[in-house]
Amino acid sequence: MRKIGIFVDIQNIYYTTKQGFNRQFDYRRFWQEISYLGDIQIANAYAIASNNDGQRKFQDALRHIGFEIKLKPFIQRSDGSAKGDWDVGITVDIMEAAEQLDHIILLSGDGDFDLLMHKIKEKYQVKTQVFGVQKLTAQSLIKSVDLFTAIEPPLLK
């Protein structure tokens, strides 16, 4: 049975599905579809820590589906700008897991991941797949993977 790893850039998926469709991604439906492809060994969802009740309920729902939630503090800079991305954490986790997996699925449209996906495909001969909103996903990321799956209404709620 194919060993699958799922890595979700929650902020990216939230904002791109909102901008692209004004809807939310359906993680339960996604999980059901992917579980038919093999054994989900790793399912990490990366988010920013929040005291917001809605965010906590959302994270609890993801845990209930089967995701491990990884949280990072939201950093407000003195100049008013903010930082809270997980690019390095996602990259490290994928690099560490790639050797034990057959299929790596990244949910993100962020072109910063193109080199990572190309590298793990080359080094570990793992199947690479990205789910992203077509018009908001970097072409370099799409070209770096074996399979790009556009997030469309069946995966939205």
Side-chain angles (χ1 to χ4, degrees):
M1 182 163 261
R2 181 180 296 240
K3 295 182 225 167
I4 300 171
I6 301 169
F7 302 85
V8 183
D9 182 350
I10 289 178
Q11 302 305 112
N12 183 278
I13 294 301
Y14 173 79
Y15 287 110
T16 58
T17 56
K18 185 174 176 81
Q19 183 179 340
F21 299 99
N22 202 29
R23 292 171 67 186
Q24 294 180 356
F25 187 73
D26 189 340
Y27 287 93
R28 186 171 305 282
R29 174 115 187 220
F30 166 79
W31 187 279
Q32 290 168 343
E33 287 188 17
I34 298 306
S35 65
Y36 288 116
L37 301 176
D39 183 30
I40 299 171
Q41 305 241 314
I42 298 170
N44 292 341
Y46 302 83
I48 304 306
S50 171
N51 290 327
N52 177 297
D53 280 342
Q55 283 295 317
R56 282 199 304 269
K57 286 179 184 173
F58 169 69
Q59 291 165 9
D60 287 343
L62 289 179
R63 282 185 194 94
H64 182 73
I65 292 168
F67 288 95
E68 178 182 337
I69 308 301
K70 296 200 171 196
L71 297 173
K72 179 182 261 190
F74 179 77
I75 298 167
Q76 186 76 38
R77 296 183 181 124
S78 58
D79 68 358
S81 65
K83 175 136 178 70
D85 72 61
W86 263 103
D87 291 5
V88 173
I90 293 169
T91 298
V92 168
D93 285 354
I94 289 176
M95 289 298 291
E96 288 182 346
E99 196 169 16
Q100 295 91 37
L101 298 170
D102 302 309
H103 187 171
I104 291 180
I105 300 171
L106 173 66
L107 279 75
S108 181
D110 189 338
D112 289 342
F113 292 116
D114 60 0
L115 181 61
L116 166 69
M117 298 306 277
H118 178 73
K119 187 68 172 176
I120 62 167
K121 182 169 65 168
E122 179 184 281
K123 185 172 182 178
Y124 300 106
Q125 290 75 51
V126 63
K127 180 178 180 181
T128 55
Q129 182 174 5
V130 162
F131 279 74
V133 174
Q134 178 84 47
K135 64 184 177 183
L136 299 171
T137 299
Q139 285 301 306
S140 62
L141 180 59
I142 292 171
K143 290 176 182 174
S144 72
V145 295
D146 295 312
L147 180 63
F148 172 73
T149 304
I151 295 173
E152 299 281 337
L155 284 174
L156 299 169
K157 56 181 179 170

